[in-house]
Amino acid sequence: MTERVVPPAARRRRRPTKTGVVLSEELIVETALRLLKEHGADALTVRRLGLALGADPTALYRYFRDTDDLLLAIADELIGRTLRTWRPTGDWRADLRDLGLRMHSGSLSHPQAAVLSAYRVTGRVHEIAAVETILGVLRGAGFPDVEAVRIYHAFVDQALAFAALDAASVALPRAAREAEAGVWRATYARLSPDTHPHIAATARHLVADMRRSAYPSALDLLLAAAAARLDEIQELPPTQPTRQTETRPEDPAGHTAGLSRVIPPDPSAPRPPGS
């Protein structure tokens, strides 16, 4: 596509397409989601979209710079669908659990789109609303700002990572999914306790559990750790600073490499900018 995108106010067509529809950003995104679900990533082309919409493919240039711009809109729409069905109760832990499960479920309902977009940062209206919402839940629960951001980061990355992982599995052909599930029965469940005592001892649990997503369990562990951290913060004397967190260097994608290590504050150490 071109780098030129028509401003929103000027996008509406004066006449419908040859199939009788009036193009809009929302209609294009909805059609792209349907094509991805039905035909996979190869369906995300200007030609295929134009054909499905009954429009000249060049008309899509009025709405999106290129297919990557469209992909960001698709990612943002998935976030928006999650927010539209979520209602907070005031219980921060229950609210984040419900939101995380809805994010995961929404991704699995459009697995091809989730695989392509789960790792993207859209900077669009629904993503901005989600960031504001989650930070609001955490700050409202009593987390200091630095802790709220750390937990937000872990919460969102965990949800999106599991969404991409599980969506990729769901997007596999049925035969491939069944074959992978069968490996736990055909291989792991038959290993000898003489050579693999731990696998043999837990084989029946592996066969049952590995067919399911680990996301609900991982989410519960994260929220339990966050709740424990909040209890710790609330028990600190008013004048005692919260603990610092030392992390390893970030990788090129901006994610922290390795696990965080919590260390006590050093009163003599220089304070970072903005602290």
Side-chain angles (χ1 to χ4, degrees), residues 4-271:
R4 178 176 177 273
V5 177
V6 175
R11 288 178 182 174
R12 188 176 180 87
R13 288 172 56 96
R14 296 180 183 276
R15 56 186 176 83
T17 68
K18 56 188 176 185
T19 59
V21 300
V22 176
L23 288 182
S24 67
E25 183 171 324
E26 293 77 13
L27 177 62
I28 295 170
V29 169
E30 181 67 33
T31 303
L33 279 169
R34 176 174 59 81
L35 290 178
L36 283 169
K37 193 170 187 177
E38 293 175 356
H39 305 291
D42 292 341
L44 198 63
T45 67
V46 177
R47 187 185 65 81
R48 294 284 293 272
L49 275 168
L51 184 63
L53 290 163
D56 189 311
T58 61
L60 303 183
Y61 298 164
R62 298 173 62 86
Y63 301 87
F64 302 101
R65 296 183 185 89
D66 48 32
T67 52
D68 191 66
D69 193 30
L70 172 58
L71 183 60
L72 294 179
I74 290 170
D76 203 58
E77 173 61 18
L78 292 180
I79 297 170
R81 292 183 180 190
T82 295
L83 291 178
R84 283 194 287 270
T85 60
W86 177 79
R87 296 292 181 272
T89 66
D91 180 336
W92 73 268
R93 188 168 171 179
D95 287 344
L96 288 185
R97 188 179 195 278
D98 182 39
L99 182 58
L101 293 176
R102 287 175 183 270
M103 291 169 62
H104 184 258
S105 176
S107 294
L108 296 191
S109 67
H110 291 279
Q112 297 282 5
V115 169
L116 292 173
S117 65
Y119 62 95
R120 303 301 301 274
V121 179
T122 74
R124 292 173 178 247
V125 60
H126 297 313
E127 182 184 79
I128 292 171
V131 175
E132 176 71 9
T133 296
I134 297 169
L135 286 174
V137 170
L138 291 167
R139 296 180 76 237
F143 287 99
D145 289 352
V146 65
E147 298 280 353
V149 169
R150 289 179 62 239
I151 295 169
Y152 158 80
H153 191 176
F155 172 81
V156 169
D157 276 12
Q158 182 192 64
L160 294 176
F162 271 100
L165 174 68
D166 293 336
S169 178
V170 170
L172 286 173
R174 183 182 181 89
R177 293 201 309 270
E178 291 178 350
E180 288 203 353
V183 172
W184 295 101
R185 294 189 303 271
T187 301
Y188 286 90
R190 297 180 181 181
L191 292 174
S192 169
D194 295 331
T195 56
H196 300 84
H198 303 301
I199 293 177
T202 60
R204 64 188 180 91
H205 302 296
L206 285 171
V207 170
D209 202 71
M210 297 305 291
R211 294 181 63 91
R212 299 189 291 264
S213 171
Y215 178 61
S217 297
L219 176 60
D220 286 340
L221 289 171
L222 174 64
L223 294 176
R229 178 65 181 133
L230 182 59
D231 289 342
E232 184 182 73
I233 291 169
Q234 292 174 339
E235 290 173 0
L236 291 173
T239 57
Q240 182 174 340
T242 56
R243 296 183 300 173
Q244 299 177 37
T245 301
E246 180 181 66
T247 58
R248 298 180 184 179
E250 291 188 345
D251 64 21
H255 300 290
T256 301
L259 299 176
S260 296
R261 180 168 66 87
V262 178
I263 58 173
D266 180 0
S268 65
R271 296 183 63 81

